[in-house]
Amino acid sequence: MREMLTGGELDVLTGDYLAELTMLILGRDRLKDPSAGYARTFLRQLEECLGIAHERGVRIVTNAGGLHPAGLADAVRALAGRLGLPVRVAHVEGDDLTARYPGALAAHAYLGGFGIAACLREGADVVVTGRVTDAALVTGPAAAHFGWGPTDHDRLAGAVVAGHVLECGTQATGGNYAFFDDGDVRHPGFPLAELHEDGGSVITKHPGTGGFADTGTVTAQLLYETAGARYAGPDVTARLDTVRIRREGPDRVRVEGVRGEAPPPALKVGLNRLGGFRNEVVFVLTGLDVERKAALVREQMRDALAKSPPAEVRWDLVRTDRPDAGTEETASALLRLVVRDPDQQVVGRALSGAAVELALGSYPGFHVLAPPGKGTPYGVFEDVYVPHGAVDHVAVLHDGRRVPVEPARQTAVLKDVPEPPLPEPLPPGPVRRAPLGLVAGARSGDKGSHANVGVWARTDDAWRWLAHELTAERFRQLIPESRELPVVRHVLPNLRALNFVVEGILGQGVAAQHRFDPQAKALGEWLRSRHLDIPEALL
């Protein structure tokens, strides 16, 4: 926060604190303390930086309010009072629908940016929200500054795209980037967007900060956690297939041409609930006969678990070992056992007793990475939908006035965009077996139970090859975990990109820890490591 406030010019500083998993964590916090439920890390940052922001006239907009935006707004006012700063604090509420869903730990509608805009238009210096879309932190200030209304769909869509690029911080300036060797990413600077009245923007960063902003880093973030060409939100549906990006100068990328459509008639609601209890143990199998050692301990544990069987039992053997290894660690494989059950005692007894009792009576070299505990609760995330009018979206101004925010009046049912024409394929020529990542970048992430993998080409010729080669069926071949799941491919020619949505690969969401990489953050890098027959001309 200090770096952004002191590193260069800024009108509005935004902060996105809410992932799906964060909402579950804040919900558990609220169970223990009804006054909790917001991101306390924001307050710690603000204590150091509120004076700088006030001095420089920078307004702050954040969703750190989480489950209790009014509580965080009060805490910010108290902080400003202690610091002797005349700061006007407003907040947005209406997203909390938990009472409507019995058994839910947290149920929150994704609100748009017009509540934020109302607070800013009435003079707020700090605006705190609960669950809004990540991009709303940018569309709200843009609508307030330029005077946009709910039907300015193209302009709003441009701001949504800018907000989507900014929402994950340094992922737009070289962080987590497939081609990270293109620049110095040891300490990437945070991105900023220069927004224009027509909805276009320039993505850049403060002078002298690390990392880099180029068409590749912006493309990667545009593809992150999206699906088809229509990127739906509560204010507008942005057409990602209309986005055009070009390099304007060092660390300057212009984003333009974004078209917008009326938002869908329903608001998304993120529903978090406790799914049960989870426990795990990782057996270390060293040296020879790894498969036979794994079979022995699995049989022994099966007998032990039969006395009080958990609802779900999962085994995974990870072959990290290598022959004639120079260290014991590289001579060892990992056998992970995960159990789940609604009853904490079942998952506790299942592992803590059975696994430890095998210590002197199982395979040679028996040991585990850590002794199993009592079991921990895990969460389940799902999407539900409500009409716009079912939510009481309200801007609570710094002087206490409550301003209702009108629901969207123009809406349109979301439909898939037909696949656009593909480029001409490359002419036949010699090929070489090589990793996909030599000619394509990728970025992946989670959306509830689904994962998306965005793949883009760096040159026109690579795009001509990629568009024809990487079909949904070829994706399934390269990613065996997806072979029995629906995989949908979306084509975005302006970005020279393909976006794959793998349905159900994450089970019941990140908090359920269904797989080794529960948020699919590295799924794209796994895909890039897979080998295909690639034209030598591209290599």
Side-chain angles (χ1 to χ4, degrees), residues 338-472:
V338 177
V339 297
R340 302 173 193 270
D341 196 88
D343 188 339
Q344 185 176 23
Q345 291 187 344
V346 169
V347 299
R349 287 195 305 267
L351 295 192
S352 56
V356 173
E357 288 167 7
L358 291 177
L360 303 180
S362 188
Y363 61 86
F366 180 101
H367 67 287
V368 297
L369 287 185
K374 297 178 180 179
T376 56
Y378 69 90
V380 171
F381 178 88
E382 62 179 305
D383 297 339
V384 294
Y385 293 86
V386 299
H388 283 260
V391 174
D392 296 322
H393 191 177
V394 177
V396 183
L397 305 182
H398 60 278
D399 56 9
R401 286 180 292 147
R402 298 175 63 84
V403 178
V405 179
E406 290 291 319
R409 294 188 177 181
Q410 288 187 16
T411 63
V413 175
L414 207 61
K415 296 180 180 178
D416 289 335
V417 174
E419 183 169 295
L422 298 180
E424 286 294 318
L426 283 182
V431 297
R432 189 190 321 159
R433 198 76 176 166
L436 173 63
L438 295 184
V439 296
R443 177 165 287 164
S444 56
D446 64 307
K447 278 294 181 186
S449 62
H450 305 335
N452 94 289
V453 184
V455 186
W456 77 94
R458 306 185 85 183
T459 67
D460 288 339
D461 281 348
W463 168 237
R464 292 170 64 189
W465 171 79
L466 183 72
H468 292 275
E469 175 67 22
L470 195 56
T471 61

Side-chain angles (χ1 to χ4, degrees), residues 27 33 35 76 82 109 143 147 155 172 184 273 297 340-341 354 361 402 408 424 435 438 470 474:
D33 178 3
S35 68
V76 173
R82 292 197 303 274
R155 293 174 171 87
D184 184 353
R273 57 182 173 82
V297 75
R340 302 173 193 270
D341 196 88
R402 298 175 63 84
E424 286 294 318
L438 295 184
L470 195 56
R474 179 56 56 88

Side-chain angles (χ1 to χ4, degrees), residues 164-206:
H164 181 59
V165 172
L166 296 188
E167 71 184 50
C168 290
T170 57
Q171 278 194 175
T173 49
N176 300 351
Y177 182 53
F179 305 106
F180 58 91
D181 283 336
D182 285 359
D184 184 353
V185 295
R186 289 175 295 177
H187 183 70
F190 275 72
L192 58 89
E194 299 172 357
L195 289 167
H196 299 276
E197 196 277 336
D198 65 356
S201 63
V202 173
I203 306 299
T204 183
K205 63 188 186 69
H206 283 325

Side-chain angles (χ1 to χ4, degrees), residues 302-314:
R302 185 177 64 244
D303 293 342
L305 295 175
K307 299 172 185 176
S308 182
E312 182 183 339
V313 178
R314 175 168 174 164

Side-chain angles (χ1 to χ4, degrees), residues 37-389:
Y38 56 79
R40 298 183 184 277
T41 50
F42 169 75
L43 270 182
R44 290 200 290 272
Q45 291 175 302
L46 202 62
E47 187 158 4
E48 179 186 359
C49 296
L50 185 57
I52 302 172
H54 179 68
E55 177 186 330
R56 294 181 174 233
V58 177
R59 295 163 126 180
I60 297 174
V61 178
T62 180
N63 62 15
L67 277 57
H68 194 11
L72 179 55
D74 286 341
V76 173
R77 291 187 190 98
L79 172 62
R82 292 197 303 274
L83 297 176
L85 299 172
V87 173
R88 294 164 294 192
V89 183
H91 74 275
V92 177
E93 59 186 41
D95 60 299
D96 192 347
L97 304 181
T98 307
R100 302 187 193 182
Y101 298 94
L105 194 59
H108 291 258
Y110 288 73
L111 301 180
F114 281 100
I116 296 170
C119 294
L120 292 172
R121 284 169 177 156
E122 294 295 328
D125 301 304
V126 178
V127 181
V128 172
T129 78
R131 177 76 277 186
V132 295
T133 63
D134 302 340
L137 301 175
V138 172
T139 60
H145 183 81
F146 295 116
W148 296 340
T151 59
D152 288 316
H153 292 143
D154 289 348
R155 293 174 171 87
L156 289 167
V160 163
V161 167
H164 181 59
V165 172
L166 296 188
E167 71 184 50
C168 290
T170 57
Q171 278 194 175
T173 49
N176 300 351
Y177 182 53
F179 305 106
F180 58 91
D181 283 336
D182 285 359
D184 184 353
V185 295
R186 289 175 295 177
H187 183 70
F190 275 72
L192 58 89
E194 299 172 357
L195 289 167
H196 299 276
E197 196 277 336
D198 65 356
S201 63
V202 173
I203 306 299
T204 183
K205 63 188 186 69
H206 283 325
T209 56
F212 58 101
D214 66 15
T215 56
T217 64
V218 172
T219 297
Q221 183 56 26
L222 278 173
L223 295 171
Y224 181 64
E225 294 183 345
T226 60
R230 285 189 164 102
Y231 185 59
D235 295 324
V236 67
T237 293
R239 290 289 298 261
L240 298 183
D241 55 342
T242 65
V243 179
R244 297 194 306 270
I245 60 174
R246 58 183 170 88
R247 186 176 185 268
E248 192 174 77
D251 293 317
R252 292 182 63 81
V253 178
R254 182 166 291 277
V255 182
E256 56 193 355
V258 187
R259 301 298 303 274
E261 300 170 344
L267 292 176
K268 175 181 170 180
V269 178
L271 190 65
N272 286 278
R273 57 182 173 82
L274 292 178
F277 294 86
R278 178 186 184 277
N279 206 355
E280 76 169 59
V281 62
V282 180
F283 302 92
V284 183
L285 314 174
T286 304
L288 304 177
D289 306 319
V290 165
E291 299 281 354
R292 288 163 55 198
K293 289 171 179 173
L296 172 60
V297 75
R298 287 184 65 161
E299 187 173 347
Q300 290 176 309
M301 287 299 297
R302 185 177 64 244
D303 293 342
L305 295 175
K307 299 172 185 176
S308 182
E312 182 183 339
V313 178
R314 175 168 174 164
W315 291 92
D316 289 295
L317 177 60
V318 184
R319 296 301 301 265
T320 51
D321 58 305
R322 65 188 68 168
D324 195 21
T327 66
E328 184 177 335
E329 187 169 2
T330 56
S332 300
L334 302 177
L335 178 64
R336 177 181 288 107
L337 168 60
V338 177
V339 297
R340 302 173 193 270
D341 196 88
D343 188 339
Q344 185 176 23
Q345 291 187 344
V346 169
V347 299
R349 287 195 305 267
L351 295 192
S352 56
V356 173
E357 288 167 7
L358 291 177
L360 303 180
S362 188
Y363 61 86
F366 180 101
H367 67 287
V368 297
L369 287 185
K374 297 178 180 179
T376 56
Y378 69 90
V380 171
F381 178 88
E382 62 179 305
D383 297 339
V384 294
Y385 293 86
V386 299
H388 283 260

